[in-house]
Amino acid sequence: MYSLYDRDGVLRFANSDREACLDYAKLFELNSANCCLMNLIVSIDKEANINLDLNQAENNN
């Protein structure tokens, strides 16, 4: 799943097709300075591997 966010972090468009997200950006004339494209599945997979013990220790300091 790909998502297109504007520079303020607001979700503009989500679709399973990367090209559909890029077409949406093109339709509304959003360039790379105004938006970012993220693969949510890759992002979720990376977040799932967080070591909670390490993060807990960092948050207590």
Side-chain angles (χ1 to χ4, degrees), residues 30-47:
L30 300 172
N31 61 35
S32 61
N34 294 325
C35 65
C36 93
L37 180 65
M38 295 181 65
N39 183 338
L40 293 180
I41 294 173
V42 170
S43 298
I44 291 169
D45 286 345
K46 286 181 182 176
E47 289 175 13

Side-chain angles (χ1 to χ4, degrees), residues 15-26:
N15 194 298
S16 60
D17 181 15
R18 179 180 185 271
E19 293 303 316
C21 286
L22 294 174
D23 288 343
Y24 181 90
K26 185 176 178 181

